[in-house]
Amino acid sequence: MFYRMPKPPELPYPKPLPDPREIPMFSMNRVRPVIAFALVAVAAATAATAPIALAAQQRNDALAIRDLLDVNTVSVSDLSADGRWLVMTIAQRRDNLGADGSRDNDPTYLRNAPARLVVVDTRNMQQRNVFPGKKTVRAAVWSPDGAKLGLLTIENDALQVSTWDRASGAFVVARPPAGQYVAENTELRWAEDGRSLAFAARTEEWKARAKARFSELTKGPVTVLDGSDDFLEWDAMNRMNAERAIVSWTPATGAIATLRPSGRIGPWTLAKDGSAITVQEDITKKTDYDVIGGREWKLTTQAPGAAESRMLFPTLRGVALSWAEDGIRYASARDGRVFVGTIADTMSRQLLGPAVARPGAPTTPPDTSAAARAQRAKERFSVVRWSPQGDVLVAQNGEGLWLVDVASGTKEMFITSPESTTVLPRTQLVAWSQDGRYLYFTESSRTKWDRAVFRYDRDTKAKTDLVRGAKFFTNLRLSKDGSTAVLSVADGNRVADVYVADAALGNLRRVVESNPQLAQKAVPKTELIKYLDSDGKSRYGVVHLPTNYQQGTRYPTVFLIYEDFFDDTWDAVANLLASNGYAVVKPSVGFEIGYPEEAWQKGVLAAANEVIRLGIADSSRLGVHGTSYGGYATNLLVTYTDRFKAAINMSGKVDIISFYTDSPRLGVRNIHAAEKSQDRIGATLWQAPMKYIEHSAIMYADRIKTPLLLMTGGEDHNVPALNTREMYYALRRLGKPVVWANYVNGGHGIPNTTEVEFTDYHQRVLDWYAKYLKAEKKASATSQE
């Protein structure tokens, strides 16, 4: 029988008194897209409160909601082969507004997210805009000689492929034949000779068919679903996305040629020498409940434009493919074995892993001893990356990383893995010099904020740190000629900037200061804390201190919960709260299959005890919130404890039973989440019905004493607002303090609809915590247990 942890005795914390300055927080006439419902048992006449004029809000240097919309993100699109020309996008947070959630999973929907497209000369840092204003750019890739940019942009609600000449600034636009257009999910790739660009195309007939089916599923007027159909309705809708052809466009002549006729095409690879195109074709027979969006693929290859293709793999189920840069050689991994081959081969050759048993060979019972299991783990390999020349593989097993000679199969371990992976720094291979000599890795400690980029020299077998410290070093790119590196660098809790350096990361130069306005703001400081959960296991958490933090003073504290937190990356919501006088704690928790609710009980409450012990948090003024899975966690947590004086569930489910087979646009995602992945129930509803009841907060709504704000999106097709709505009506029936704000046009999480709704969302969060955690009480230095 499933055991529910006993509820602790009621704590003697006084309820906060209503603030005498309260005024209605919302007006149905003022904010039409937001529908808010409220019931507060202790003050029936009051539904919510207006912003309280706090000192932190009045400071000119405090982060405000509008500042979050002004934050710029710089993203590198490509670096030319000679390292001289960098192309990048610069976009503000507000540029992502305007999303139409009603068209989620519409394969014909193109969402606009305009940005500046900038070309930089890395020798002198001179910048040049490709377009006079902002434009939605899906891809920008340099031709092999760096003379032209291949562009994929949204023009008049359609994708457009074009080239931009770096010297003249002239554009050439691809004109697909009548009845065809650039596919909504296309890739964009240059041929090695730089004469043509390959992309995916579709027919207008396909678009009309996709639009009609989407309309039928969302608007009716009658939708009929049959359980005997091979595919769930939205699984079949999503499968339509694979229907496309691969074509080649020659800008000099305008000619468009078919490389691969229309079919259900997934990932595709062009041979570097132009001799072949290899594609994964969808052969899925029915909806797969074991894999989210599960697809079965076969792998075929053919000469560009040929009528016939040749089978390489009749099925890729359970196979992980890795391609060499030449598009001809590949490695396949399955069941711990690694094979290599070429598209010309009829059979691949085993390179690593346990030997395959010969047909008819006698079988013996497996040795289940610990030593035998450890030995078998050492024999199982996966592929990490091919060398640029295709002569060496990096492979991984339980012992570490290996350099494997493809021709001979000889291998050499060059990075070892300690036995304890809980303290092992996270290491990732991010670049490999074109001559094959240097391998570049990022490394991040799991016990402190220490991060690095190091380089391994195959000639000397030496590992050298290139940069190390508390900063973040991410998105490293190395030019093909090995002369130039580009990477993103950020201080803790700051937005990253793009830097250019030499191959040893010397002469590091910032390309552009993306957010100079933040230098005028008091961005909160962060700290890493370590604590023991109630099982005695070590956990880490990130604390955002109030901008006016003074050691020895206790502050109202908000816990932002989800799963694991360690790195102090830029967090807009946490920084907004800290700028308004709150300490913000992001604790980590540990899960056990079948008992996910206990993770937050054991981890979050232990983290609360720690920040109280550290003298940061005021134990009588604790709040908690989370988004999506974190919102679900929040609602479960407040059924167990009343230590929190305010809580917010943002787009989180409250009833896992009704959620289990809901959210149809996600196919089997919600079923899979409960049975096999994030929700961690570990069984079907019919195998363990009591666990589903146990993990549905709605079943324990009568135990909730914490005032609860529910925030949903009417067009959220991940966690439907109707699920969260159950909690509002339950608490209202029970006479408990609850407010439900539903953003009718919003999607999952923060509304990406309009600036008004974005602002309203964040202001409601501030107002909720101000009402229940601040009121008239000021931060105090009194000691607390």
Side-chain angles (χ1 to χ4, degrees):
M1 179 177 290
F2 186 77
Y3 175 71
R4 182 178 178 86
M5 293 183 68
K7 186 177 181 297
E10 183 175 352
L11 299 175
Y13 298 150
K15 295 180 182 293
L17 295 173
D19 192 296
R21 295 167 292 180
E22 289 179 345
I23 59 173
M25 169 179 143
F26 61 88
S27 163
M28 297 298 289
N29 293 324
R30 179 174 62 85
V31 187
R32 294 184 182 275
V34 184
I35 300 178
F37 309 85
L39 174 72
V40 181
V42 296
T46 303
T49 60
I52 296 175
L54 303 169
Q57 290 176 308
Q58 295 174 338
R59 290 173 50 178
N60 292 329
D61 64 346
L63 280 174
I65 298 171
R66 63 179 178 275
D67 295 320
L68 307 186
L69 288 167
D70 292 335
V71 171
N72 288 297
T73 300
V74 182
S75 302
V76 172
S77 298
D78 202 10
L79 179 66
S80 63
D82 63 3
R84 180 173 180 181
W85 303 104
L86 173 68
V87 59
M88 60 190 190
T89 57
I90 304 176
Q92 285 186 319
R93 176 64 177 83
R94 68 177 69 252
D95 295 328
N96 282 314
L97 300 176
D100 184 355
S102 70
R103 295 189 66 182
D104 281 358
N105 294 83
D106 177 352
T108 70
Y109 176 46
L110 295 173
R111 179 180 170 184
N112 274 293
R116 288 174 54 210
L117 186 66
V118 180
V119 168
V120 180
D121 185 338
T122 62
R123 294 182 183 178
N124 55 28
M125 295 301 171
Q126 289 186 353
Q127 299 180 18
R128 178 182 179 187
N129 290 329
V130 175
F131 301 103
K134 292 184 177 181
K135 189 177 290 290
T136 300
V137 180
R138 288 282 190 89
V141 290
W142 287 110
S143 59
D145 63 0
K148 291 181 172 61
L149 269 178
L151 298 170
L152 185 62
T153 57
I154 295 181
E155 308 286 347
N156 300 318
D157 200 31
L159 281 181
Q160 177 178 281
V161 172
S162 63
T163 61
W164 174 78
D165 187 277
R166 179 173 48 78
S168 67
F171 290 91
V172 178
V173 178
R175 307 293 182 189
Q180 295 184 12
Y181 70 99
V182 180
E184 293 85 352
N185 62 347
T186 188
E187 305 87 347
L188 187 65
R189 298 173 187 166
W190 281 99
E192 184 63 19
D193 60 12
R195 296 179 180 178
S196 61
L197 281 158
F199 58 91
R202 286 183 171 137
T203 64
E204 294 291 348
E205 180 276 332
W206 177 92
K207 179 183 272 190
R209 183 161 44 91
K211 282 181 173 292
R213 181 56 175 160
F214 183 83
S215 178
E216 179 185 3
L217 289 176
T218 56
K219 299 177 181 178
V222 178
T223 302
V224 178
L225 308 179
D226 189 333
S228 65
D229 290 342
D230 290 333
F231 293 93
L232 285 170
E233 68 280 7
W234 283 99
D235 199 20
M237 181 85 244
N238 295 336
R239 193 166 178 248
M240 288 185 70
N241 230 355
E243 295 181 32
R244 53 189 190 157
I246 308 301
V247 301
S248 175
W249 169 55
T250 305
T253 64
I256 293 182
T258 299
L259 300 179
R260 176 65 167 75
S262 184
R264 289 194 172 95
I265 298 173
W268 51 278
T269 302
L270 283 176
K272 201 170 184 177
D273 62 7
S275 64
I277 179 172
T278 305
V279 304
Q280 292 183 201
E281 297 181 58
D282 186 352
I283 56 170
T284 312
K285 296 178 177 60
K286 62 180 181 179
T287 291
D288 185 348
Y289 282 89
D290 291 326
V291 181
I292 299 174
R295 294 287 178 263
E296 184 177 3
W297 307 91
K298 66 180 181 181
L299 188 69
T300 63
T301 189
Q302 66 186 72
E308 300 294 329
S309 62
R310 186 169 64 84
M311 184 79 69
L312 294 177
F313 285 80
T315 179
L316 289 173
R317 184 178 291 275
V319 176
L321 278 180
S322 178
W323 287 92
E325 286 188 12
D326 61 11
I328 294 175
R329 284 170 283 193
Y330 64 85
S332 61
R334 181 174 185 175
D335 298 329
R337 301 179 177 91
V338 174
F339 299 83
V340 292
T342 74
I343 58 176
D345 295 335
T346 57
M347 182 177 292
S348 55
R349 169 174 57 89
Q350 185 172 356
L351 188 67
L352 297 167
V356 178
R358 297 189 305 276
T363 59
T364 58
D367 185 345
T368 59
S369 67
R373 292 197 305 269
Q375 181 59 37
R376 284 195 294 270
K378 293 179 181 180
E379 295 173 355
R380 297 175 63 87
F381 287 86
S382 60
V383 177
V384 177
R385 189 165 180 157
W386 283 84
S387 67
Q389 301 304 318
D391 58 340
V392 176
L393 280 177
V394 171
Q396 185 171 23
N397 70 350
E399 295 178 291
L401 293 176
W402 299 75
L403 288 166
V404 186
D405 184 270
V406 174
S408 66
T410 59
K411 61 183 185 294
E412 172 191 12
M413 186 163 60
F414 68 109
I415 294 182
T416 59
S417 300
E419 291 184 4
S420 174
T421 58
T422 58
V423 296
L424 169 70
R426 295 177 178 88
T427 300
Q428 183 177 7
L429 176 60
V430 294
W432 200 332
S433 64
Q434 199 69 21
D435 62 6
R437 178 175 177 178
Y438 296 110
L439 292 87
Y440 293 75
F441 293 83
T442 57
E443 182 180 270
S444 300
S445 171
R446 295 176 191 253
T447 60
K448 58 183 178 180
W449 287 337
D450 179 63
R451 305 157 184 123
V453 176
F454 69 84
R455 186 170 69 176
Y456 179 79
D457 186 336
R458 289 178 59 198
D459 289 353
T460 65
K461 303 186 187 307
K463 171 185 167 182
T464 305
D465 281 355
L466 303 182
V467 288
R468 180 175 290 276
K471 293 178 183 290
F472 290 92
F473 308 102
T474 57
N475 304 319
L476 176 69
R477 288 174 181 248
L478 189 68
S479 62
K480 284 193 173 183
D481 70 354
S483 66
T484 307
V486 175
L487 72 162
S488 298
V489 181
D491 288 316
N493 197 31
R494 296 296 188 275
V495 183
D497 283 329
V498 172
Y499 284 73
V500 171
D502 58 34
L505 300 193
N507 192 26
L508 202 62
R509 295 158 289 149
R510 184 163 58 184
V511 175
V512 60
E513 185 179 3
S514 56
N515 289 281
Q517 78 282 4
L518 291 181
Q520 310 303 317
K521 298 294 179 178
V523 178
K525 295 180 180 179
T526 52
E527 291 184 357
L528 182 67
I529 61 170
K530 183 179 181 181
Y531 56 95
L532 299 179
D533 67 16
S534 60
D535 287 333
K537 295 180 179 179
S538 294
R539 304 291 176 195
Y540 290 90
V542 178
V543 178
H544 292 244
L545 296 170
T547 50
N548 60 342
Y549 176 72
Q550 294 180 351
Q551 190 169 0
T553 300
R554 295 182 180 274
Y555 294 86
T557 301
V558 174
F559 290 79
L560 197 163
I561 66 176
Y562 194 73
E563 296 188 24
D564 279 338
F565 292 98
F566 185 87
D567 289 323
D568 58 335
T569 52
W570 171 261
D571 188 322
V573 173
N575 287 332
L576 179 66
L577 286 166
S579 294
N580 280 269
Y582 301 93
V584 180
V585 182
K586 298 187 289 188
S588 294
V589 299
F591 292 93
E592 180 182 351
I593 299 299
Y595 307 92
E597 179 187 24
E598 293 184 9
W600 298 295
Q601 296 169 4
K602 294 175 179 179
V604 176
L605 298 182
N609 293 339
E610 177 64 10
V611 290
I612 292 169
R613 185 190 70 80
L614 292 172
I616 297 172
D618 181 340
S619 63
S620 68
R621 295 185 292 164
L622 304 181
V624 62
H625 81 246
T627 301
S628 191
Y629 196 48
Y632 167 62
T634 296
N635 235 132
L636 283 173
L637 191 57
V638 296
T639 69
Y640 172 79
T641 179
D642 54 8
R643 287 185 71 178
F644 300 101
K645 300 310 166 191
I648 308 175
N649 174 353
M650 303 168 173
S651 300
K653 58 186 173 285
V654 302
D655 183 347
I656 201 169
I657 299 172
S658 61
F659 181 76
Y660 180 56
T661 54
D662 203 357
S663 303
R665 295 197 198 187
L666 300 185
V668 305
R669 187 268 176 195
N670 290 359
I671 295 171
H672 189 278
E675 296 176 3
K676 302 176 185 295
S677 51
Q678 187 178 46
D679 289 335
R680 299 175 174 91
I681 301 297
T684 70
L685 173 62
W686 305 279
Q687 291 169 329
M690 291 306 297
K691 285 191 176 182
Y692 282 79
I693 293 173
E694 177 69 18
H695 289 86
S696 294
I698 190 69
M699 299 298 183
Y700 304 94
D702 60 319
R703 299 185 182 185
I704 296 175
K705 295 184 178 180
T706 304
L708 182 62
L709 172 61
L710 304 166
M711 307 184 81
T712 59
E715 293 292 348
D716 184 348
H717 302 287
N718 185 335
V719 181
L722 293 181
N723 189 288
T724 314
R725 182 182 70 172
E726 295 178 27
M727 183 59 70
Y728 168 73
Y729 284 108
L731 292 178
R732 180 181 175 91
R733 171 66 182 84
L734 292 164
K736 294 177 177 288
V738 61
V739 171
W740 174 32
N742 182 45
Y743 295 80
V744 176
N745 298 315
H748 193 60
I750 297 171
N752 284 313
T753 45
T754 66
E755 183 170 343
V756 169
E757 293 185 29
F758 180 95
T759 302
D760 182 275
Y761 185 95
H762 288 85
Q763 190 61 56
R764 286 177 188 274
V765 171
L766 294 176
D767 293 346
W768 190 253
Y769 287 133
K771 176 178 180 179
Y772 290 104
L773 302 187
K774 287 191 171 179
E776 290 298 324
K777 185 172 181 179
K778 305 299 182 182
S780 67
T782 58
S783 62
Q784 300 184 29
E785 297 297 328

